Amino acid sequence: MVFAKNNVKSCLSFAKKVGAPVVVILPGLKQEGKDDELLFNNFIGNLKELGEVCEELNLRICIENAHGRICENSDDLLKVFETIGSLSRYIGAVFDTGHFLLSKENLNDVATKLRRYIYHLHIDNNGGKLDDHALPTVGLLTEHDFVKFFETLKANNYQGWYSFEIRPKNETVSFILKSCKKFFDNVVAQD
């Protein structure tokens, strides 16, 4: 945990140098034979220390939930933000559409539940079993699902970053960029 915490501190320093306002982190893995509550409390202790660094540097950390991690779903994230209290000005969530699909949560419900804490988006899709990081048009989430999701974000006054987190299969980078641009223009940037 000390290595990870120091690594995040280095990333925060680098982010400040290059003008990046957000650093995304994945919480530690759950460990067989280790008490989940102990792991959670250690994570909170580290976040409190990192939150002070964020305050000094005027940066934010965004926690990305993922299967097998201390924060697997929206309830886990909400527990973190309620526990750290006012440090949630500096520590929030990255909303990964594919990860919430894997945790079988409704994107709109989660967006509303976490609305005060979402500082960054990862837009991707999957088939519901693996974290494929597929194009938003390839997977269980439909264009309609995404339209409703972005309407919910807009209604919740989301002001953060948008990013596509795509892991190419057989697609060229050019194809991925064109597909993401088309998706953004047709779905995200709608008024």
Side-chain angles (χ1 to χ4, degrees):
M1 284 290 225
V2 172
F3 171 76
K5 181 175 56 178
N6 289 336
N7 192 23
V8 173
K9 285 181 181 179
S10 295
C11 290
L12 288 167
S13 295
F14 181 74
K16 184 68 175 178
K17 286 178 187 172
V18 299
V22 170
V23 171
V24 174
I25 65 168
L26 283 164
L29 290 166
K30 291 184 176 182
Q31 300 169 23
E32 191 174 322
K34 295 271 186 168
D35 178 43
D36 287 349
E37 197 62 30
L38 177 64
L39 292 171
F40 177 83
N41 290 334
N42 288 339
F43 182 56
I44 292 298
N46 287 331
L47 283 178
K48 287 180 178 179
E49 187 175 330
L50 292 168
E52 292 172 5
V53 175
C54 288
E55 186 173 19
E56 289 171 22
L57 298 175
N58 195 29
L59 296 173
R60 285 183 164 162
I61 289 175
C62 291
I63 304 167
E64 184 171 3
N65 69 297
H67 179 70
R69 301 276 177 171
I70 294 167
C71 295
E72 288 189 297
N73 57 43
S74 64
D75 289 335
D76 294 339
L77 287 168
L78 193 58
K79 182 179 174 185
V80 166
F81 304 133
E82 290 172 347
T83 302
I84 63 172
S86 64
L87 281 177
S88 64
R89 288 187 317 262
Y90 303 101
I91 301 172
V94 58
F95 193 115
D96 186 308
T97 55
H99 289 186
F100 284 112
L101 175 61
L102 289 173
S103 66
K104 306 204 180 327
E105 295 186 78
N106 178 283
L107 299 184
N108 302 314
D109 294 344
V110 174
T112 299
K113 180 195 290 189
L114 296 177
R115 69 185 168 274
R116 293 180 18 221
Y117 308 108
I118 302 170
Y119 300 144
H120 190 70
L121 291 178
H122 282 177
I123 303 164
D124 61 287
N125 206 340
N126 62 60
K129 295 186 191 292
L130 298 173
D131 190 16
D132 297 328
H133 290 109
L135 288 164
T137 55
V138 179
L140 294 180
L141 295 171
T142 65
E143 184 173 308
H144 176 76
D145 294 329
F146 278 109
V147 167
K148 291 295 181 194
F149 171 64
F150 290 112
E151 287 173 355
T152 300
L153 288 176
K154 186 175 182 179
N156 291 336
N157 198 32
Y158 176 71
Q159 301 290 315
W161 292 88
Y162 293 75
S163 64
F164 291 90
E165 186 178 26
I166 308 302
R167 185 177 300 132
K169 302 285 184 264
N170 297 317
E171 307 94 349
T172 64
V173 172
S174 176
F175 176 81
I176 291 170
L177 291 173
K178 287 176 186 171
S179 297
C180 289
K181 168 102 172 74
K182 182 178 177 183
F183 178 85
F184 188 85
D185 291 344
N186 293 340
V187 177
V188 181
Q190 284 191 49
D191 275 301

